[in-house]
Amino acid sequence: MPVKRQDKEYTEIKEQMFQDKLAQIKKQLQQLEEGTLPEYLRRLKRLEQQHKERLRLNDVWKTCCKENAQRTCEMEKRQSKKDFEQKKVELKERLICDWEDKKKQVENDKVHIELSMDFNDFKPISTRKLRRRLNPDGHTISSNGGPQEKRRKQSPTINILLDDMSINEDLKLINKVSGKSFVSRKQPQPMVTDADDHTVSCDARIEDGKLYFEKRWYLRGQAIYADSKETGKFGATIFSIGSAEICIKKSSDNTKVKILLSQLQKGKYTIRRRST
């Protein structure tokens, strides 16, 4: 009997605990629906704080991006202005160089025209030949009224082409007889080949404001490498192309170097393209 009674009391206590816990859960559910549950309020407050912090960070990021964009825009404006001023100066210098080349060309043309006009103005003096008249005795009367003497018959001239050695020997003999010092004729200098002084002939010319060198065309503003025995190899940019020379600007110190077309043809200067 006592065991059954204890089991019954244990069951009743267990049932009472279950009912109390169920009632507590129902009460918490009712508070959650009403929005007054303490755990809900505590978690809701934490979420609100996280939301506010995230909004603050978004505002800070927005401000940073705006300031960075503003700085980038100002920097690009300053760089654009600097590039514009530099391009303006380069354009002015290029035009000045071109006009100087044109001025030299016009002056050379003027000199050639004046020389050609002076040559055309020189004309041989023409003499008028009078008709011969005969005296009653059959003699020819000259222009001054007297009888005209017979002209000497000029002997025909013979031009014999001799080589320089024979001419020098003849000059030695003539000067020896006349007692003058002998001055030999200048012998033509032999042509210097590549084996004598290592001179290299390169194909270089200028046409329509463009430079043709070693099967390649070069334009103004093109990046190149220039090489010579005196200065060595250096990077540069073609600044201007004249009629008989080019002007390049060194990349290291922006100094200008003038290269004649003859120097390119003789191999004293060589150029090749450079990737920018």
Side-chain angles (χ1 to χ4, degrees):
M1 288 295 292
V3 175
K4 291 183 179 179
R5 187 176 180 179
Q6 289 179 358
D7 291 339
K8 186 177 179 181
E9 289 178 357
Y10 178 74
T11 304
E12 289 178 356
I13 293 173
K14 189 175 181 180
E15 182 67 24
Q16 185 65 32
M17 289 177 63
F18 175 75
Q19 291 297 331
D20 292 342
K21 191 172 183 178
L22 181 62
Q24 185 180 2
I25 291 174
K26 287 182 179 179
K27 184 179 177 181
Q28 290 178 352
L29 182 61
Q30 182 67 28
Q31 290 178 351
L32 179 63
E33 290 178 354
E34 292 175 358
T36 58
L37 184 66
E39 182 69 18
Y40 169 73
L41 294 176
R42 182 171 59 82
R43 293 189 179 184
L44 181 63
K45 186 177 180 180
R46 184 184 300 171
L47 288 174
E48 288 178 352
Q49 290 178 354
Q50 292 178 356
H51 176 66
K52 290 180 180 179
E53 183 67 18
R54 188 168 182 179
L55 289 177
R56 187 183 69 82
L57 292 176
N58 288 336
D59 291 337
V60 171
W61 177 250
K62 178 182 177 181
T63 305
C64 291
C65 291
K66 187 175 180 180
E67 291 177 355
N68 189 19
Q70 187 70 21
R71 287 195 299 269
T72 304
C73 181
E74 294 295 332
M75 188 182 300
E76 289 181 354
K77 285 182 178 179
R78 290 194 296 269
Q79 186 65 31
S80 177
K81 186 177 180 180
K82 183 178 178 181
D83 293 341
F84 171 73
E85 295 296 333
Q86 185 177 1
K87 294 289 185 182
K88 185 170 69 173
V89 173
E90 290 180 357
L91 178 61
K92 186 176 180 180
E93 292 178 353
R94 187 181 302 170
L95 290 176
I96 290 174
C97 189
D98 291 342
W99 283 111
E100 287 179 353
D101 293 338
K102 291 181 180 179
K103 181 181 178 182
K104 292 180 181 177
Q105 186 67 30
V106 170
E107 290 176 353
N108 292 332
D109 294 341
K110 181 181 179 182
V111 171
H112 292 316
I113 292 173
E114 289 177 353
L115 290 175
S116 61
M117 290 178 64
D118 293 339
F119 179 77
N120 292 330
D121 291 339
F122 177 75
K123 296 181 180 179
I125 300 174
S126 61
T127 56
R128 187 178 61 177
K129 294 183 179 181
L130 300 177
R131 189 178 59 181
R132 297 176 181 178
R133 293 177 297 173
L134 295 177
N135 273 336
D137 56 356
H139 296 287
T140 304
I141 300 175
S142 62
S143 58
N144 56 7
Q148 184 178 8
E149 297 180 356
K150 293 183 179 181
R151 293 181 180 179
R152 290 184 180 180
K153 293 183 179 180
Q154 297 179 355
S155 59
T157 58
I158 301 175
N159 294 327
I160 301 175
L161 298 177
L162 300 176
D163 55 0
D164 292 336
M165 187 177 295
S166 301
I167 293 174
N168 286 331
E169 291 178 356
D170 294 341
L171 288 174
K172 285 181 180 180
L173 183 59
I174 294 172
N175 291 325
K176 185 177 181 180
V177 174
S178 60
K180 296 181 181 179
S181 60
F182 169 69
V183 179
S184 62
R185 290 169 55 90
K186 292 182 179 180
Q187 299 289 337
Q189 297 295 331
M191 296 180 63
V192 179
T193 59
D194 295 342
D196 295 335
D197 62 348
H198 304 284
T199 302
V200 180
S201 177
C202 300
D203 186 8
R205 63 180 183 272
I206 296 176
E207 294 180 0
D208 299 330
K210 297 182 295 183
L211 172 64
Y212 180 80
F213 181 74
E214 291 299 319
K215 300 180 180 180
R216 287 181 180 272
W217 288 100
Y218 295 87
L219 305 175
R220 294 176 183 171
Q222 189 166 2
I224 61 169
Y225 283 115
D227 191 4
S228 69
K229 294 181 180 179
E230 291 79 6
T231 60
K233 182 179 179 181
F234 58 90
T237 304
I238 298 178
F239 183 73
S240 64
I241 300 177
S243 59
E245 74 278 343
I246 65 171
C247 183
I248 63 176
K249 181 185 288 186
K250 288 186 177 180
S251 302
S252 58
D253 53 1
N254 289 333
T255 57
K256 295 179 183 178
V257 179
K258 184 173 288 187
I259 301 176
L260 300 177
L261 186 61
S262 59
Q263 292 177 329
L264 292 173
Q265 293 172 348
K266 294 178 181 178
K268 293 183 178 179
Y269 273 92
T270 59
I271 63 173
R272 63 183 181 86
R273 293 180 180 177
R274 173 170 62 93
S275 59
T276 57

